[in-house]
Amino acid sequence: MRSWWGSRLHASALLLIAGVSGVAPAVSACGGSTAEPRAADAAPDAGDDGEVVDEDAGRPIPAEAGTDAKADAAAKSFCATRSPKPKFCDDFDDGDLDDDWDVLTVVNGDADLDPFSATSAPASFAVATLPVTSMQSAHVHLRTTVTGTATGHVVLAFDMMLASTTFTRGVVAVARLDVSSDHFFTLYLRDGDLDAPAATLEEISPGGTTRHLLSTLPPANEWTHVTIDVALDAAKATVLWGTNKALDQAPIAAGTAKDPTIRLGAVYIYGPAASVEARFDDVTLDF
C-alpha cells in the first residue's frame, strides 16, 4: 500500500509532483533512485504474468485528519456519490493507492498518490517512468479484474492529465481493457507500428490484431475525461477525450464480456522512449 505520506518516490516521480507544488526536490547525481533501500524481508512480491506487487509496510495518518472528518469525506467522495454504482470505482481518496486493485506493477519508474492535483480531492494516482533505451521497457500501472458477464457495453472511464502528449519515439500505452480472456483493447498514445506509429485503440481478438486509429491526442497539462466504450452487442468501439470523439464507433469483433480486467497508468512503455509522467483519477468500469 503506497501513499504520499512517507513516500519513497523515484526522483522522476518527485519532479512530477514538484511541478505542481513549486518545490524542486534533490536528484541523485547518477540519475538513479533517491529512495531508501527496501529491507530484505519487505521485498516486492511477484504477481501474475511477472508483474510486481509493491506494497509498503504502512503509512502515518495526518494528525489533523480525525475519524469523523475522514468518514464525512468518504461519504462525499466521487465513488460514494455514484448512482447507480459502477461495477468498479476508485477515486484514490482513501489514502491508500492500491487497496482497491489486485496488482500494482512498478518497473523502471514509480507511483504514488498526488495530494496537489486531482479531479476529486484530495488525491490522484501519479506515475512517472524513467527514460528507457531500445532494449528497455517501463511499466507503472494498476490492474484489477471485475467478476461478471455482459453482452452489451463495457465502459472504462477515467480522468487523465499528461505532462506531455508529444511522443516522437518508442511505444506509450496508458490503459488496457480486456473484456474477456481472448479479447483485448489497448489505448496507445503512440503504438509500435514500424511504418507509421500513431495513437490507436489496438484490438486483439481470436480473429487477429486491428489498429483503430485515433483522430486526435488528448491535451497536455490539463485534466481530460477519457472514455473507452466497447459495445459488444453492436460490435463497435468509441474513444472520447471529454466529449470529443477520437474514435467513433469503429467496427470490432462481437462477443461476450467475461470477468473484464483493466490496467491503468504507464501500461506499456517500450524504448527508446523519454520519461512519461501522468496523473489519473476517478476510475470507473461498468458493464
Side-chain angles (χ1 to χ4, degrees), residues 17-228:
I17 294 175
V20 178
S21 66
V23 179
V27 180
S28 64
C30 63
S33 173
T34 58
E36 299 176 4
R38 182 186 293 273
D41 60 354
D45 296 325
D48 296 341
D49 305 323
E51 295 179 331
V52 176
V53 186
D54 192 351
E55 296 188 342
D56 286 349
R59 66 188 187 281
I61 298 175
E64 67 274 14
T67 302
D68 293 341
K70 288 189 292 180
D72 183 59
K76 296 177 181 178
S77 70
F78 172 83
C79 290
T81 57
R82 297 306 93 192
S83 182
K85 292 188 179 300
K87 292 288 193 292
F88 173 83
C89 186
D90 192 6
D91 50 28
F92 305 106
D93 295 338
D94 62 359
D96 193 316
L97 173 58
D98 59 345
D99 60 328
D100 296 316
W101 300 75
D102 297 333
V103 177
L104 168 62
T105 297
V106 178
V107 178
N108 284 331
D110 216 328
D112 211 332
L113 292 175
D114 180 358
F116 295 108
S117 182
T119 52
S120 66
S124 64
F125 165 40
V127 305
T129 66
L130 293 170
V132 289
T133 68
S134 58
M135 302 299 292
Q136 292 180 312
S137 63
H139 311 271
V140 182
H141 60 82
L142 293 161
R143 188 195 78 196
T144 197
T145 297
V146 180
T147 303
T149 61
T151 57
H153 288 250
V154 181
V155 182
L156 171 60
F158 53 90
D159 295 328
M160 176 175 68
M161 181 163 64
L162 298 159
S164 173
T165 57
T166 303
F167 304 106
T168 58
R169 301 187 303 160
V171 173
V172 178
V174 293
R176 175 169 157 172
L177 168 59
D178 299 356
V179 296
S180 66
S181 61
D182 61 0
H183 199 180
F184 318 133
F185 294 87
T186 304
L187 184 63
Y188 285 95
L189 302 181
R190 191 177 195 269
D191 69 6
D193 186 78
L194 297 178
D195 297 320
T200 62
L201 182 69
E202 180 189 79
E203 177 188 8
I204 299 177
S205 70
T209 300
T210 305
R211 296 172 72 226
H212 303 291
L213 295 177
L214 305 184
S215 60
T216 61
L217 282 166
N221 292 311
E222 67 179 70
W223 283 104
T224 301
H225 188 67
V226 180
T227 305
I228 304 173

Side-chain angles (χ1 to χ4, degrees), residues 151-153 230-236 254-255:
T151 57
H153 288 250
V230 176
L232 294 170
D233 50 355
K236 303 287 185 182

